[in-house]
Amino acid sequence: MNQYKLQENLAISDSGFLFFPSTGETFTVNELGKLIINNLQAEKSSVDIIRHIIELFDIDQQTAERDFEDYLSQLKNYDLVTEL
Amino acid sequence: MNVAVTGLNATDNPGPGVPVIRSLKEFSKFDGKIIGLLYDNLEPGIYMKDIADKSYLIPYPSSGLEIFLDRIKVIHKKEKLDIIIPTLDSELYAFAKLSDKLLEMGIKTFLPTIEHLNIRAKDKLFDFCESNNIKVPKNFTITSQKDLYQYSEKFSYPVVVKGIFYEAYIANNFEEVFSKFNKLSAKWGFPVLIQEFIQGDEYNVVALGDGKGNTVGAVPMRKLYITDKGKGWSGVTINDNNLMELSRNIIQKLKWKSGMELEFIKSKETKEYYLLEINPRFPAWTLLAPAAGQNLPEAMVKMAFGKKVEPFKDYEIGKMFIRCSWDLFSDMKYFEKLAVQGEI
């Protein structure tokens, strides 16, 4: 499974507000986004993050993997993550 | 200290006078008098409380340098000006030409030379960037309708049509170019620039150069909201080392003396910064700099008086500004006094 690294200096608040100081861009993310970004900041592996998604949202492995990859493709679009 | 400031036209195309004054009055221990120099009775800064202590109408520099200087002499006799901070592009050549005479009168300025003003002029910027390896959109300098037709086959649409002093429009075909070209040349004269359109986000830097190549301070900002006139109505300070290094490099190459604004666009495609313009004075959003920790207008005044100013090292990242419209009320008597006597 692909591994991802979050851009440095990305700041996320408890409310899910994201500020990227290099570009001044801001985003508002939902609970899934918060979970993924917080885990990427903690340098957790993709497998670990998917396990957290399953636990928090009580969904099956396949759905969690699909949601995770969908979300990461959006983060890549905004240049917020790089693939390792 | 008596500080005269121009550009109190805090309109939807705002002059930088009011924020420069607010930088001095609200963000520093300024203990002096502010004298507003006005070109129009309806410049909103005149009607704002706690901006100018006294205001005077002055003629446009285009009416002749002698007439312009005579008026300043009259104001100086009454107010004993210590320094003038011009903030409008269209008057800077006049003030730069008169700086020695003003100094003889005891009035300081902190301005670029005519040569430096010319290097960064919109029609010369491309050459400066090309010779210094700074990325810049390709452009055509058009001085007549004949030129426009002649170069039209080389345009790759959309293009940006820019006035020599102010205003820019995106044009998607030759008809739109032609219409904007006529509008801009009638308003601001020639040349009109036809510039390559680069898709991306706009980033601006407010900075102060010491005239020896050093950057005294610089604060970068991303425009969050842009008006139909292309003015930043909201912005946020950012942190991008590439942008800061590029800005310091430009100031070093120009040996820029005075406040300035560097306008960039970050290409969506290549992520590289392209220099769009160098404005030779503080921008209308200058107040964001002291709000973020760098009072550049105050530093400039100190330097004009020969005081040593340590370069700023930091600023607050994520500091926002939001401009607003706010109705002010006044009386015809006030307006009348200004219209009849030329001062208030």
Side-chain angles (χ1 to χ4, degrees):
Chain A
M1 177 159 274
N2 295 333
Q3 301 299 317
Y4 301 92
K5 186 177 183 297
L6 206 61
Q7 290 279 13
E8 282 175 26
N9 304 323
L10 201 64
I12 183 165
S13 70
D14 291 341
S15 64
F17 183 77
L18 208 68
F19 176 56
F20 192 20
S22 302
T23 63
E25 288 169 298
T26 58
F27 306 87
T28 307
V29 301
N30 60 14
E31 284 302 312
L32 174 67
K34 242 164 57 174
L35 182 145
I36 291 174
I37 289 163
N38 281 329
N39 277 281
L40 286 170
Q41 266 183 332
E43 296 181 3
K44 293 278 168 62
S45 69
S46 298
V47 172
D48 282 345
I49 297 172
I50 289 163
R51 199 170 60 239
H52 278 130
I53 294 171
I54 294 167
E55 283 166 14
L56 189 72
F57 295 99
D58 194 21
I59 52 176
D60 60 66
Q61 177 85 22
Q62 198 184 358
T63 309
E65 279 179 15
R66 194 188 58 216
D67 287 353
F68 176 73
E69 288 298 340
D70 279 354
Y71 205 88
L72 263 296
S73 72
Q74 286 189 54
L75 292 179
K76 273 195 283 185
N77 267 343
Y78 288 112
D79 289 324
L80 298 176
V81 291
T82 46
E83 214 170 299
L84 292 175
Chain B
M1 184 192 296
N2 296 330
V3 181
V5 182
T6 67
L8 271 65
N9 51 326
T11 61
D12 61 338
N13 184 8
V18 170
V20 165
I21 293 168
R22 289 184 66 195
S23 299
L24 299 176
K25 288 184 116 171
E26 294 177 26
F27 287 86
S28 78
K29 292 172 185 166
F30 179 74
D31 183 23
K33 199 169 163 186
I34 298 288
I35 294 100
L37 301 180
L38 323 162
Y39 294 104
D40 192 286
N41 295 335
L42 283 174
E43 291 189 22
I46 318 162
Y47 301 89
M48 294 175 178
K49 274 186 185 167
D50 302 324
I51 296 296
D53 298 289
K54 194 88 196 272
S55 294
Y56 291 88
L57 281 168
I58 56 172
Y60 285 104
S62 55
S63 56
L65 280 188
E66 214 164 297
I67 297 168
F68 188 69
L69 186 63
D70 283 347
R71 180 62 178 152
I72 289 171
K73 279 179 184 167
V74 170
I75 298 166
H76 183 49
K77 203 171 175 187
K78 287 184 181 177
E79 302 294 342
K80 302 216 169 354
L81 305 177
D82 293 302
I83 180 169
I84 298 180
I85 308 177
T87 65
L88 303 172
D89 295 17
S90 49
E91 68 188 7
L92 280 171
Y93 279 89
F95 276 108
K97 281 178 188 163
L98 293 172
S99 60
D100 288 342
K101 283 186 180 165
L102 291 171
L103 192 60
E104 282 169 20
M105 291 160 55
I107 305 172
K108 294 181 168 57
T109 54
F110 198 78
L111 296 172
T113 61
I114 297 287
E115 186 197 348
H116 287 131
L117 282 172
N118 283 337
I119 292 172
R120 47 62 46 196
K122 291 184 189 189
D123 54 334
K124 307 281 191 315
L125 186 68
F126 184 80
D127 294 338
F128 166 77
C129 291
E130 283 283 282
S131 54
N132 287 288
N133 287 327
I134 295 161
K135 290 208 171 293
V136 60
K138 292 182 192 74
N139 70 17
F140 299 95
T141 305
I142 310 290
T143 52
S144 66
Q145 279 195 1
K146 195 180 154 200
D147 274 4
L148 188 65
Y149 284 112
Q150 193 182 324
Y151 288 112
S152 62
E153 281 177 15
K154 295 179 181 171
F155 300 160
S156 175
Y157 296 104
V159 293
V160 184
V161 189
K162 295 174 92 168
I164 186 66
F165 287 119
Y166 301 102
E167 289 188 52
Y169 298 95
I170 295 168
N172 293 295
N173 51 51
F174 184 73
E175 285 69 32
E176 285 181 16
V177 170
F178 189 76
S179 147
K180 299 304 177 191
F181 170 84
N182 285 333
K183 181 178 175 171
L184 291 171
S185 58
K187 198 165 176 185
W188 303 113
F190 290 108
V192 172
L193 303 177
I194 311 291
Q195 197 171 68
E196 176 190 7
F197 174 77
I198 292 177
Q199 184 135 31
D201 290 319
E202 287 186 38
Y203 292 85
N204 292 6
V205 178
V206 56
L208 174 62
D210 69 354
K212 296 166 191 160
N214 303 308
T215 300
V216 178
V219 177
M221 174 275 282
R222 179 189 190 218
K223 287 181 183 177
L224 294 177
Y225 186 92
I226 300 172
T227 67
D228 55 357
K229 286 191 174 172
K231 303 292 158 191
W233 206 251
S234 175
V236 61
T237 57
I238 60 151
N239 175 28
D240 186 331
N241 289 336
N242 293 336
L243 181 61
M244 293 306 281
E245 202 180 311
L246 180 56
S247 301
R248 281 191 288 266
N249 183 32
I250 292 166
I251 292 168
Q252 200 266 327
K253 292 264 167 39
L254 278 172
K255 294 200 168 30
W256 188 259
K257 182 183 174 187
S258 193
M260 72 191 310
E261 182 190 30
L262 299 160
E263 294 189 5
F264 297 96
I265 194 153
K266 189 176 185 183
S267 163
K268 203 172 178 180
E269 198 183 329
T270 66
K271 311 288 179 205
E272 289 177 302
Y273 286 104
Y274 286 72
L275 182 63
L276 296 180
E277 278 182 24
I278 298 175
N279 292 318
R281 36 73 194 165
F282 287 123
W285 58 275
T286 289
L287 203 61
L288 186 61
Q294 294 194 9
N295 197 334
L296 302 179
E298 183 197 23
M300 191 179 85
V301 170
K302 284 182 180 170
M303 287 162 71
F305 282 87
K307 291 182 185 166
K308 189 170 166 42
V309 174
E310 289 299 323
F312 292 98
K313 290 192 175 113
D314 298 310
Y315 56 88
E316 191 182 332
I317 297 154
K319 180 63 83 179
M320 281 178 68
F321 83 90
I322 301 146
R323 202 162 278 161
C324 69
S325 298
W326 183 277
D327 293 357
L328 298 170
F329 298 94
S330 188
D331 295 309
M332 279 314 285
K333 280 281 167 204
Y334 190 85
F335 181 81
E336 179 192 326
K337 196 172 177 224
L338 187 59
V340 174
Q341 297 175 10
E343 62 181 80
I344 194 99

